Amino acid sequence: MAFLVRNLIDNDDITLVQSLGAFDIVEYERDLSVDMASAQTAYFASKMNVRRRQAIAKLNNSAVTVQAGAMQWTVGNVSLTSGVKGAGDLLGKMLRSTVTGESAIKPEYSGSGLVALEPTYKHLLAVDLADWNGSLVVEDGMFLACEATVQQKLVARSNVSSALAGGEGFFNLALAGQGVVLLESFVPRAELIEVELHDDVLKIDGSLAVAWSASLNFTVERSSKSLLGSMASGEGLVNVYSGTGRVLMSPVASTSPLLNAVPQA
């Protein structure tokens, strides 16, 4: 490669927070692109860990798949394709888009060079599927990018009749195979609660799980065995994860007004 990028990783206001597979995740310690009106807000936002974060994919005769519109710039011998392999593949991608909230067409960038994604105030999580026995299910809207060796498919609830009532959709996006996936989260990895199950059960009131092992059985059930008991306890339906595997769980719901108030770059 014949290019050189300066004042990015070597900028003293930018910290490399994670490097895994094709992806580097950087964080802007301070936002210097401010004026008199916004300087105070930017200062205190930085102190509370509200900072711009950016993912950079390093390609070496390889490829990555990203959400539509997520690319900010590329450098090097990088080619863009739609990632669609035929009419059947297009229909499958459109179906996934309808039920998961992801973009139907996810561009694929291949070759040798760099692909920088749009900065975001959300937290970026790079996950190696090898750490999840080759398959991971994620909450809707969390997928940002992955290495092209990762396969995407839909997985359905075991009891789809009650899925919507439990605050979930009928389907989720499953990522399988070998490679690294990049997720966007309202909560930093350091605050995500990890529950490891060995032939056991985890019940969650609300959509707090952000990712879980595909080996787990996911159902929506009443919090009590009887309808009267559920009414008496003040709880209704709960999301149930059973079997053997892991669950990453947020301590707060992503629908919190404070989380939704985070500005986007």
Side-chain angles (χ1 to χ4, degrees):
M1 293 183 289
F3 62 84
L4 180 63
V5 178
R6 297 188 178 92
N7 204 34
L8 183 60
I9 302 297
D10 57 336
N11 187 312
D12 59 5
D13 275 327
I14 297 177
T15 301
L16 177 64
V17 295
Q18 188 179 10
S19 182
L20 189 63
F23 300 105
D24 286 342
I25 299 175
V26 299
E27 182 175 272
Y28 293 74
E29 297 292 334
R30 296 181 297 169
D31 189 351
L32 301 182
S33 304
V34 297
D35 55 22
M36 288 290 290
S38 59
Q40 181 174 318
T41 299
Y43 175 81
F44 286 105
S46 176
K47 294 299 181 181
M48 291 303 297
N49 198 35
V50 180
R51 299 169 180 167
R52 283 188 298 151
R53 299 169 181 93
Q54 188 171 23
I56 301 166
K58 304 164 294 184
L59 302 182
N60 184 15
N61 292 320
S62 56
V64 294
T65 303
V66 305
Q67 277 281 45
M71 187 275 291
Q72 187 185 48
W73 55 268
T74 71
V75 61
N77 184 23
V78 177
S79 300
L80 167 65
T81 62
S82 66
V84 177
K85 299 176 177 63
D89 186 42
L90 175 60
L91 289 175
K93 286 178 166 59
M94 292 178 66
L95 175 61
R96 283 205 303 267
S97 171
T98 301
V99 300
T100 66
E102 313 288 348
S103 58
I105 306 301
K106 295 182 176 67
E108 183 174 291
Y109 296 88
S110 60
S112 295
L114 299 180
V115 180
L117 304 188
E118 289 282 356
T120 177
Y121 282 94
K122 292 181 181 179
H123 299 274
L124 301 179
L125 314 175
V127 180
D128 191 341
L129 290 181
D131 296 332
W132 291 81
N133 292 323
S135 188
L136 176 70
V137 183
V138 299
E139 186 56 275
D140 294 349
M142 291 196 63
F143 175 85
L144 179 60
C146 67
E147 294 178 330
T149 53
V150 174
Q151 292 86 47
Q152 304 174 45
K153 61 181 181 179
L154 291 179
V155 291
R157 304 288 183 270
S158 297
N159 56 343
V160 295
S161 61
S162 58
L164 289 178
E168 301 285 350
F170 289 124
F171 301 93
N172 277 104
L173 178 66
L175 304 162
Q178 295 181 336
V180 174
V181 301
L182 193 63
L183 308 176
E184 283 188 301
S185 171
F186 285 101
V187 178
R189 179 63 181 88
E191 291 188 357
L192 289 177
I193 302 165
E194 183 173 324
V195 180
E196 185 170 341
L197 299 174
H198 295 277
D199 196 21
D200 214 326
V201 180
L202 170 67
K203 298 182 179 181
I204 303 175
D205 181 13
S207 303
L208 298 181
V210 299
W212 55 93
S213 301
S215 57
L216 291 173
N217 186 38
F218 181 20
T219 59
V220 181
E221 303 174 4
R222 290 197 300 264
S223 59
S224 175
K225 292 184 178 180
S226 68
L227 179 60
L228 181 60
S230 295
M231 295 174 62
S233 68
E235 305 290 345
L237 296 173
V238 293
N239 296 317
V240 180
Y241 304 82
S242 58
T244 299
R246 288 187 290 157
V247 178
L248 281 181
M249 182 172 60
S250 170
V252 292
S254 61
T255 53
S256 164
L258 290 178
L259 291 176
N260 288 337
V262 174
Q264 298 300 303

